[in-house]
Amino acid sequence: MSFADDAEFAAFLGRDHMLLAVTPEAVASAMVGFALPLSPGKELDWLAMAVRRALGISIPNVSDGPERPSNAEFRDELVSLAERATETWIAIFQRSPEADSRLWDEAFNQWEGCNALAAGDDPEFEYNRFRAALAELNWLSSFLGKAVKGTEQQKPNWRAAERKRIRVQRGLYLAPIFEAAFGTVVSANNWPSGVHRAPSAFMDFYQRMVALAFGEQRTPDLSGVLKAVCRMHRQYPTTFADGVIPGL
């Protein structure tokens, strides 16, 4: 894959195509009534680009997200495969002497050699290939069984926990954008449980941006999610690959 310039490469890394609706015009509309002005040198074009790329990176692959099949579902599939492989191996392994002799005769009839004593040393002798395949089938049934045993047993609420993890990740990606755009550190409070207490500016910004990008108008446990974000951001602030968000 080739790119016309650094900007096109940055757009590819930032997954711009994932959130095409996050435009300067859309961000301007979403930010109407927001409490803080943009810092000097920061414009809506930059904010839209930064938000689009920060949130685009946070979109999980289908195979990794909370909408994927549960471990229990594909574990059942692996159990079935392991059982079928094991049953097949056992059935062939327990073949009768007469069936085994017929297999050897068939292989010898197809073999281009003529000395039966030399057949045992020829890896292309079909009976030898049959025995090697049977050993591989035994390995296959064992491997499938190990995969079954190694499959993590998920908690009943694993999807909710995964969605919260993604929301925290989005907050961590938006935190440096917020601080650069508005010149103030991220913070969160106990809104809406506190009496007459408004959400912090960062909480308001986060909600506006995820509503624009993903249609999430009301994030569950917004206060708890962003308190976790603020703690983690202070310890391990997110950094982006060079060029993905210029000016950050």
PDB file of all heavy atoms in Angstrom, residues 75-99:
ATOM      1  N   ARG A  75     -16.439 -22.088  22.628  1.00  0.00           N
ATOM      2  CA  ARG A  75     -15.908 -23.228  23.377  1.00  0.00           C
ATOM      3  C   ARG A  75     -16.727 -24.476  23.075  1.00  0.00           C
ATOM      4  O   ARG A  75     -16.173 -25.574  22.908  1.00  0.00           O
ATOM      5  CB  ARG A  75     -15.938 -22.947  24.882  1.00  0.00           C
ATOM      6  CG  ARG A  75     -15.306 -24.056  25.722  1.00  0.00           C
ATOM      7  CD  ARG A  75     -15.437 -23.765  27.215  1.00  0.00           C
ATOM      8  NE  ARG A  75     -14.792 -24.801  28.011  1.00  0.00           N
ATOM      9  CZ  ARG A  75     -15.344 -25.964  28.317  1.00  0.00           C
ATOM     10  NH1 ARG A  75     -16.571 -26.228  27.887  1.00  0.00           N
ATOM     11  NH2 ARG A  75     -14.686 -26.858  29.034  1.00  0.00           N
ATOM     12  N   ASP A  76     -18.032 -24.333  22.986  1.00  0.00           N
ATOM     13  CA  ASP A  76     -18.891 -25.467  22.633  1.00  0.00           C
ATOM     14  C   ASP A  76     -18.516 -26.020  21.258  1.00  0.00           C
ATOM     15  O   ASP A  76     -18.525 -27.239  21.039  1.00  0.00           O
ATOM     16  CB  ASP A  76     -20.363 -25.051  22.638  1.00  0.00           C
ATOM     17  CG  ASP A  76     -20.894 -24.805  24.050  1.00  0.00           C
ATOM     18  OD1 ASP A  76     -20.226 -25.225  25.021  1.00  0.00           O
ATOM     19  OD2 ASP A  76     -21.960 -24.177  24.175  1.00  0.00           O
ATOM     20  N   GLU A  77     -18.190 -25.124  20.338  1.00  0.00           N
ATOM     21  CA  GLU A  77     -17.775 -25.568  19.004  1.00  0.00           C
ATOM     22  C   GLU A  77     -16.466 -26.354  19.085  1.00  0.00           C
ATOM     23  O   GLU A  77     -16.319 -27.407  18.453  1.00  0.00           O
ATOM     24  CB  GLU A  77     -17.604 -24.366  18.083  1.00  0.00           C
ATOM     25  CG  GLU A  77     -17.146 -24.731  16.677  1.00  0.00           C
ATOM     26  CD  GLU A  77     -16.914 -23.517  15.792  1.00  0.00           C
ATOM     27  OE1 GLU A  77     -17.138 -22.382  16.264  1.00  0.00           O
ATOM     28  OE2 GLU A  77     -16.495 -23.712  14.642  1.00  0.00           O
ATOM     29  N   LEU A  78     -15.511 -25.843  19.878  1.00  0.00           N
ATOM     30  CA  LEU A  78     -14.240 -26.537  20.031  1.00  0.00           C
ATOM     31  C   LEU A  78     -14.420 -27.895  20.698  1.00  0.00           C
ATOM     32  O   LEU A  78     -13.747 -28.870  20.343  1.00  0.00           O
ATOM     33  CB  LEU A  78     -13.270 -25.677  20.848  1.00  0.00           C
ATOM     34  CG  LEU A  78     -12.735 -24.414  20.169  1.00  0.00           C
ATOM     35  CD1 LEU A  78     -11.915 -23.586  21.144  1.00  0.00           C
ATOM     36  CD2 LEU A  78     -11.897 -24.783  18.945  1.00  0.00           C
ATOM     37  N   VAL A  79     -15.323 -27.971  21.679  1.00  0.00           N
ATOM     38  CA  VAL A  79     -15.607 -29.250  22.338  1.00  0.00           C
ATOM     39  C   VAL A  79     -16.100 -30.266  21.314  1.00  0.00           C
ATOM     40  O   VAL A  79     -15.659 -31.422  21.282  1.00  0.00           O
ATOM     41  CB  VAL A  79     -16.649 -29.071  23.458  1.00  0.00           C
ATOM     42  CG1 VAL A  79     -17.182 -30.428  23.930  1.00  0.00           C
ATOM     43  CG2 VAL A  79     -16.041 -28.319  24.635  1.00  0.00           C
ATOM     44  N   SER A  80     -17.024 -29.836  20.458  1.00  0.00           N
ATOM     45  CA  SER A  80     -17.568 -30.729  19.441  1.00  0.00           C
ATOM     46  C   SER A  80     -16.477 -31.205  18.481  1.00  0.00           C
ATOM     47  O   SER A  80     -16.399 -32.396  18.142  1.00  0.00           O
ATOM     48  CB  SER A  80     -18.680 -30.017  18.663  1.00  0.00           C
ATOM     49  OG  SER A  80     -19.155 -30.814  17.601  1.00  0.00           O
ATOM     50  N   LEU A  81     -15.620 -30.291  18.051  1.00  0.00           N
ATOM     51  CA  LEU A  81     -14.534 -30.657  17.134  1.00  0.00           C
ATOM     52  C   LEU A  81     -13.561 -31.625  17.794  1.00  0.00           C
ATOM     53  O   LEU A  81     -13.113 -32.597  17.173  1.00  0.00           O
ATOM     54  CB  LEU A  81     -13.801 -29.403  16.656  1.00  0.00           C
ATOM     55  CG  LEU A  81     -14.596 -28.448  15.767  1.00  0.00           C
ATOM     56  CD1 LEU A  81     -13.795 -27.180  15.516  1.00  0.00           C
ATOM     57  CD2 LEU A  81     -14.959 -29.122  14.444  1.00  0.00           C
ATOM     58  N   ALA A  82     -13.222 -31.345  19.057  1.00  0.00           N
ATOM     59  CA  ALA A  82     -12.292 -32.217  19.782  1.00  0.00           C
ATOM     60  C   ALA A  82     -12.872 -33.610  19.943  1.00  0.00           C
ATOM     61  O   ALA A  82     -12.172 -34.624  19.772  1.00  0.00           O
ATOM     62  CB  ALA A  82     -11.958 -31.610  21.142  1.00  0.00           C
ATOM     63  N   GLU A  83     -14.149 -33.684  20.278  1.00  0.00           N
ATOM     64  CA  GLU A  83     -14.790 -34.994  20.458  1.00  0.00           C
ATOM     65  C   GLU A  83     -14.815 -35.780  19.156  1.00  0.00           C
ATOM     66  O   GLU A  83     -14.542 -36.991  19.130  1.00  0.00           O
ATOM     67  CB  GLU A  83     -16.206 -34.798  20.988  1.00  0.00           C
ATOM     68  CG  GLU A  83     -16.259 -34.315  22.438  1.00  0.00           C
ATOM     69  CD  GLU A  83     -17.672 -34.027  22.910  1.00  0.00           C
ATOM     70  OE1 GLU A  83     -18.571 -33.933  22.033  1.00  0.00           O
ATOM     71  OE2 GLU A  83     -17.872 -33.892  24.140  1.00  0.00           O
ATOM     72  N   ARG A  84     -15.126 -35.093  18.056  1.00  0.00           N
ATOM     73  CA  ARG A  84     -15.189 -35.784  16.766  1.00  0.00           C
ATOM     74  C   ARG A  84     -13.810 -36.261  16.324  1.00  0.00           C
ATOM     75  O   ARG A  84     -13.655 -37.384  15.808  1.00  0.00           O
ATOM     76  CB  ARG A  84     -15.800 -34.854  15.716  1.00  0.00           C
ATOM     77  CG  ARG A  84     -17.280 -34.584  15.955  1.00  0.00           C
ATOM     78  CD  ARG A  84     -17.781 -33.386  15.180  1.00  0.00           C
ATOM     79  NE  ARG A  84     -17.795 -33.633  13.744  1.00  0.00           N
ATOM     80  CZ  ARG A  84     -18.179 -32.719  12.865  1.00  0.00           C
ATOM     81  NH1 ARG A  84     -18.577 -31.521  13.274  1.00  0.00           N
ATOM     82  NH2 ARG A  84     -18.170 -32.997  11.569  1.00  0.00           N
ATOM     83  N   ALA A  85     -12.783 -35.428  16.549  1.00  0.00           N
ATOM     84  CA  ALA A  85     -11.426 -35.832  16.194  1.00  0.00           C
ATOM     85  C   ALA A  85     -10.980 -37.020  17.033  1.00  0.00           C
ATOM     86  O   ALA A  85     -10.359 -37.968  16.517  1.00  0.00           O
ATOM     87  CB  ALA A  85     -10.469 -34.656  16.378  1.00  0.00           C
ATOM     88  N   THR A  86     -11.290 -36.977  18.324  1.00  0.00           N
ATOM     89  CA  THR A  86     -10.901 -38.071  19.214  1.00  0.00           C
ATOM     90  C   THR A  86     -11.614 -39.366  18.838  1.00  0.00           C
ATOM     91  O   THR A  86     -10.994 -40.444  18.784  1.00  0.00           O
ATOM     92  CB  THR A  86     -11.224 -37.714  20.677  1.00  0.00           C
ATOM     93  OG1 THR A  86     -10.488 -36.543  21.033  1.00  0.00           O
ATOM     94  CG2 THR A  86     -10.843 -38.842  21.615  1.00  0.00           C
ATOM     95  N   GLU A  87     -12.912 -39.271  18.580  1.00  0.00           N
ATOM     96  CA  GLU A  87     -13.680 -40.458  18.202  1.00  0.00           C
ATOM     97  C   GLU A  87     -13.146 -41.065  16.908  1.00  0.00           C
ATOM     98  O   GLU A  87     -13.044 -42.296  16.777  1.00  0.00           O
ATOM     99  CB  GLU A  87     -15.156 -40.090  18.043  1.00  0.00           C
ATOM    100  CG  GLU A  87     -15.861 -39.772  19.362  1.00  0.00           C
ATOM    101  CD  GLU A  87     -17.229 -39.146  19.147  1.00  0.00           C
ATOM    102  OE1 GLU A  87     -17.613 -38.945  17.974  1.00  0.00           O
ATOM    103  OE2 GLU A  87     -17.911 -38.851  20.148  1.00  0.00           O
ATOM    104  N   THR A  88     -12.811 -40.207  15.953  1.00  0.00           N
ATOM    105  CA  THR A  88     -12.272 -40.703  14.682  1.00  0.00           C
ATOM    106  C   THR A  88     -10.931 -41.398  14.892  1.00  0.00           C
ATOM    107  O   THR A  88     -10.675 -42.477  14.353  1.00  0.00           O
ATOM    108  CB  THR A  88     -12.118 -39.542  13.682  1.00  0.00           C
ATOM    109  OG1 THR A  88     -13.389 -38.926  13.475  1.00  0.00           O
ATOM    110  CG2 THR A  88     -11.578 -40.039  12.341  1.00  0.00           C
ATOM    111  N   TRP A  89     -10.053 -40.755  15.694  1.00  0.00           N
ATOM    112  CA  TRP A  89      -8.743 -41.355  15.955  1.00  0.00           C
ATOM    113  C   TRP A  89      -8.899 -42.721  16.634  1.00  0.00           C
ATOM    114  O   TRP A  89      -8.251 -43.692  16.246  1.00  0.00           O
ATOM    115  CB  TRP A  89      -7.907 -40.427  16.830  1.00  0.00           C
ATOM    116  CG  TRP A  89      -6.594 -41.059  17.207  1.00  0.00           C
ATOM    117  CD1 TRP A  89      -5.485 -41.155  16.432  1.00  0.00           C
ATOM    118  CD2 TRP A  89      -6.285 -41.720  18.441  1.00  0.00           C
ATOM    119  NE1 TRP A  89      -4.484 -41.830  17.086  1.00  0.00           N
ATOM    120  CE2 TRP A  89      -4.944 -42.191  18.327  1.00  0.00           C
ATOM    121  CE3 TRP A  89      -6.999 -41.954  19.616  1.00  0.00           C
ATOM    122  CZ2 TRP A  89      -4.319 -42.886  19.355  1.00  0.00           C
ATOM    123  CZ3 TRP A  89      -6.366 -42.644  20.648  1.00  0.00           C
ATOM    124  CH2 TRP A  89      -5.045 -43.110  20.518  1.00  0.00           C
ATOM    125  N   ILE A  90      -9.751 -42.793  17.646  1.00  0.00           N
ATOM    126  CA  ILE A  90      -9.940 -44.051  18.374  1.00  0.00           C
ATOM    127  C   ILE A  90     -10.478 -45.139  17.444  1.00  0.00           C
ATOM    128  O   ILE A  90     -10.022 -46.293  17.458  1.00  0.00           O
ATOM    129  CB  ILE A  90     -10.891 -43.851  19.571  1.00  0.00           C
ATOM    130  CG1 ILE A  90     -10.203 -42.993  20.645  1.00  0.00           C
ATOM    131  CG2 ILE A  90     -11.316 -45.195  20.159  1.00  0.00           C
ATOM    132  CD1 ILE A  90     -11.110 -42.623  21.808  1.00  0.00           C
ATOM    133  N   ALA A  91     -11.443 -44.762  16.603  1.00  0.00           N
ATOM    134  CA  ALA A  91     -12.048 -45.742  15.699  1.00  0.00           C
ATOM    135  C   ALA A  91     -11.008 -46.316  14.742  1.00  0.00           C
ATOM    136  O   ALA A  91     -10.975 -47.536  14.491  1.00  0.00           O
ATOM    137  CB  ALA A  91     -13.194 -45.101  14.927  1.00  0.00           C
ATOM    138  N   ILE A  92     -10.165 -45.451  14.189  1.00  0.00           N
ATOM    139  CA  ILE A  92      -9.149 -45.933  13.247  1.00  0.00           C
ATOM    140  C   ILE A  92      -8.047 -46.685  13.982  1.00  0.00           C
ATOM    141  O   ILE A  92      -7.556 -47.725  13.513  1.00  0.00           O
ATOM    142  CB  ILE A  92      -8.568 -44.758  12.444  1.00  0.00           C
ATOM    143  CG1 ILE A  92      -9.674 -44.080  11.632  1.00  0.00           C
ATOM    144  CG2 ILE A  92      -7.458 -45.236  11.511  1.00  0.00           C
ATOM    145  CD1 ILE A  92      -9.219 -42.821  10.906  1.00  0.00           C
ATOM    146  N   PHE A  93      -7.639 -46.172  15.153  1.00  0.00           N
ATOM    147  CA  PHE A  93      -6.580 -46.822  15.928  1.00  0.00           C
ATOM    148  C   PHE A  93      -6.982 -48.238  16.325  1.00  0.00           C
ATOM    149  O   PHE A  93      -6.141 -49.160  16.376  1.00  0.00           O
ATOM    150  CB  PHE A  93      -6.274 -45.992  17.172  1.00  0.00           C
ATOM    151  CG  PHE A  93      -5.167 -46.550  18.015  1.00  0.00           C
ATOM    152  CD1 PHE A  93      -3.841 -46.370  17.649  1.00  0.00           C
ATOM    153  CD2 PHE A  93      -5.451 -47.273  19.176  1.00  0.00           C
ATOM    154  CE1 PHE A  93      -2.817 -46.885  18.417  1.00  0.00           C
ATOM    155  CE2 PHE A  93      -4.427 -47.804  19.953  1.00  0.00           C
ATOM    156  CZ  PHE A  93      -3.097 -47.606  19.566  1.00  0.00           C
ATOM    157  N   GLN A  94      -8.270 -48.453  16.587  1.00  0.00           N
ATOM    158  CA  GLN A  94      -8.750 -49.761  17.031  1.00  0.00           C
ATOM    159  C   GLN A  94      -9.181 -50.650  15.855  1.00  0.00           C
ATOM    160  O   GLN A  94      -9.935 -51.605  16.051  1.00  0.00           O
ATOM    161  CB  GLN A  94      -9.914 -49.578  18.013  1.00  0.00           C
ATOM    162  CG  GLN A  94      -9.511 -48.935  19.328  1.00  0.00           C
ATOM    163  CD  GLN A  94     -10.678 -48.739  20.283  1.00  0.00           C
ATOM    164  OE1 GLN A  94     -11.837 -48.696  19.853  1.00  0.00           O
ATOM    165  NE2 GLN A  94     -10.388 -48.624  21.563  1.00  0.00           N
ATOM    166  N   ARG A  95      -8.704 -50.357  14.662  1.00  0.00           N
ATOM    167  CA  ARG A  95      -9.058 -51.159  13.481  1.00  0.00           C
ATOM    168  C   ARG A  95      -8.643 -52.621  13.699  1.00  0.00           C
ATOM    169  O   ARG A  95      -7.695 -52.923  14.420  1.00  0.00           O
ATOM    170  CB  ARG A  95      -8.383 -50.585  12.235  1.00  0.00           C
ATOM    171  CG  ARG A  95      -6.862 -50.668  12.277  1.00  0.00           C
ATOM    172  CD  ARG A  95      -6.241 -49.792  11.192  1.00  0.00           C
ATOM    173  NE  ARG A  95      -4.769 -49.860  11.232  1.00  0.00           N
ATOM    174  CZ  ARG A  95      -4.007 -49.174  12.074  1.00  0.00           C
ATOM    175  NH1 ARG A  95      -4.588 -48.372  12.979  1.00  0.00           N
ATOM    176  NH2 ARG A  95      -2.694 -49.285  12.025  1.00  0.00           N
ATOM    177  N   SER A  96      -9.347 -53.501  13.054  1.00  0.00           N
ATOM    178  CA  SER A  96      -9.071 -54.930  13.198  1.00  0.00           C
ATOM    179  C   SER A  96      -7.797 -55.304  12.445  1.00  0.00           C
ATOM    180  O   SER A  96      -7.374 -54.603  11.521  1.00  0.00           O
ATOM    181  CB  SER A  96     -10.241 -55.737  12.642  1.00  0.00           C
ATOM    182  OG  SER A  96     -10.315 -55.569  11.228  1.00  0.00           O
ATOM    183  N   PRO A  97      -7.171 -56.397  12.827  1.00  0.00           N
ATOM    184  CA  PRO A  97      -5.981 -56.864  12.090  1.00  0.00           C
ATOM    185  C   PRO A  97      -6.290 -57.085  10.612  1.00  0.00           C
ATOM    186  O   PRO A  97      -5.442 -56.821   9.749  1.00  0.00           O
ATOM    187  CB  PRO A  97      -5.626 -58.182  12.788  1.00  0.00           C
ATOM    188  CG  PRO A  97      -6.194 -58.049  14.161  1.00  0.00           C
ATOM    189  CD  PRO A  97      -7.450 -57.248  13.989  1.00  0.00           C
ATOM    190  N   GLU A  98      -7.491 -57.558  10.297  1.00  0.00           N
ATOM    191  CA  GLU A  98      -7.857 -57.804   8.908  1.00  0.00           C
ATOM    192  C   GLU A  98      -7.928 -56.489   8.115  1.00  0.00           C
ATOM    193  O   GLU A  98      -7.439 -56.418   6.978  1.00  0.00           O
ATOM    194  CB  GLU A  98      -9.208 -58.538   8.835  1.00  0.00           C
ATOM    195  CG  GLU A  98      -9.198 -59.955   9.379  1.00  0.00           C
ATOM    196  CD  GLU A  98      -9.204 -60.003  10.897  1.00  0.00           C
ATOM    197  OE1 GLU A  98      -9.490 -58.954  11.533  1.00  0.00           O
ATOM    198  OE2 GLU A  98      -8.920 -61.073  11.455  1.00  0.00           O
ATOM    199  N   ALA A  99      -8.528 -55.443   8.743  1.00  0.00           N
ATOM    200  CA  ALA A  99      -8.600 -54.141   8.079  1.00  0.00           C
ATOM    201  C   ALA A  99      -7.202 -53.548   7.900  1.00  0.00           C
ATOM    202  O   ALA A  99      -6.883 -52.978   6.848  1.00  0.00           O
ATOM    203  CB  ALA A  99      -9.482 -53.189   8.886  1.00  0.00           C
TER     204      ALA A  99
END
